């Protein structure tokens, strides 16, 4: 298996481990559209976060809440979270680009969050529903207010959420693989790295 999250290249600045918990790694990401953009990645190779055990799901909620508060301390606002999740290896093509589960934590508030929710068909759900096993690929979203949303009805566009963020930031030529956001990554590391 050739998975960039299972075999982190420690020469790549975007693979700087901000924090490690029992089940997760927290690190910046190559396509950091803004200062304050982290990924939460299970140490175990999974297709999506819905494959976590009950205990791991509780740990994930703790990690997300902890970093939500840290984002507020650093930036004076709460981030949002999202995942392009896969129902499994046999599901139709997912909109995500790396097939190792990961949740994005983003220091951004959409200018019109309701419009984004409508375009992706996000529906509000309880925390329990949020973590139920999925039968189809999905986009999950946790708002800055820590409200949970899921969509199973969206166009399978690669990097869909990042495209919305880039458009909202006025970055028309954004490409997560080729755009250089090293300054954002370095600032994020400085603000969040736990020694």
């Amino acid at each position: 298996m050739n998975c960039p999250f299972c075999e982190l290249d420690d020469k790549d600045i975007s693979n700087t481990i901000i924090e490690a918990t029992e089940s997760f790694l927290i690190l910046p990401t190559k396509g950091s559209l803004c200062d304050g953009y982290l990924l939460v990645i299970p140490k175990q190779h999974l297709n999506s976060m819905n494959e976590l055990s009950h205990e791991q799901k509780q740990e994930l909620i703790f990690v997300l809440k902890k970093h939500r508060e840290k984002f507020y301390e650093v930036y004076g606002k709460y981030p949002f979270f999202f995942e392009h999740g896969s129902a499994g290896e046999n599901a139709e093509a997912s909109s995500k680009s790396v097939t190792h589960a990961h949740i994005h934590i983003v220091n951004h508030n959409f200018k019109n969050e309701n419009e984004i929710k409508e375009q992706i068909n996000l529906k509000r759900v309880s925390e329990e529903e949020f973590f139920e096993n999925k039968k189809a690929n999905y986009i999950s979203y946790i708002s800055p207010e820590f409200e949970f949303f899921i969509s199973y009805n969206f166009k399978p566009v690669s990097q869909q959420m990042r495209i919305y963020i880039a458009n909202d930031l006025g970055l028309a030529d954004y490409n997560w693989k080729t755009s250089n956001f090293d300054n954002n990554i370095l600032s994020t590391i400085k603000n969040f790295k736990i020694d």
Side-chain angles (χ1 to χ4, degrees), residues 29-177:
T29 180
K30 196 176 291 290
S32 289
L33 286 154
C34 53
D35 172 16
Y37 197 129
L38 296 173
L39 297 181
V40 179
I41 302 167
K43 292 178 179 177
Q44 176 186 5
H45 187 91
L46 302 171
N47 290 306
S48 65
M49 294 298 189
N50 73 354
E51 295 178 4
L52 296 169
S53 70
H54 175 74
E55 292 76 17
Q56 289 171 322
K57 289 173 183 176
Q58 296 306 306
E59 181 184 347
L60 176 61
I61 289 295
F62 175 82
V63 167
L64 297 181
K65 286 181 176 178
K66 174 184 175 182
H67 283 278
R68 180 177 184 263
E69 292 304 320
K70 178 67 175 174
F71 269 68
Y72 190 82
E73 288 174 25
V74 173
Y75 303 109
K77 64 181 179 181
Y78 292 114
F80 73 84
F81 310 81
F82 74 90
E83 177 193 13
H84 289 179
S86 172
E89 291 180 25
N90 297 324
E92 292 180 30
S94 172
S95 63
K96 64 184 194 173
S97 59
V98 175
T99 58
H100 185 128
H102 55 286
I103 286 186
H104 301 246
I105 308 176
V106 186
N107 174 34
H108 181 67
N109 296 142
F110 287 113
K111 293 173 186 142
N112 191 338
E113 182 185 45
N114 288 332
E115 184 178 306
I116 301 296
K117 289 177 188 173
E118 287 176 22
Q119 289 177 11
I120 307 171
N121 296 304
L122 286 166
K123 304 296 180 218
R124 182 143 184 222
V125 295
S126 67
E127 184 177 322
E128 293 75 29
E129 291 172 295
F130 186 80
F131 280 116
E132 285 178 354
N133 285 336
K134 315 296 190 291
K135 303 268 190 269
N137 296 329
Y138 62 92
I139 292 179
S140 66
Y141 176 81
I142 304 174
S143 72
E145 295 77 30
F146 218 68
E147 297 170 330
F148 298 86
F149 297 84
I150 293 282
S151 175
Y152 302 102
N153 182 17
F154 56 92
K155 294 178 185 174
V157 176
S158 180
Q159 302 295 310
Q160 187 167 25
M161 288 298 289
R162 285 192 190 193
I163 292 168
Y164 286 127
I165 299 164
N167 289 340
D168 212 47
L169 292 169
L171 303 172
D173 296 330
Y174 170 75
N175 180 319
W176 77 275
K177 292 182 180 179

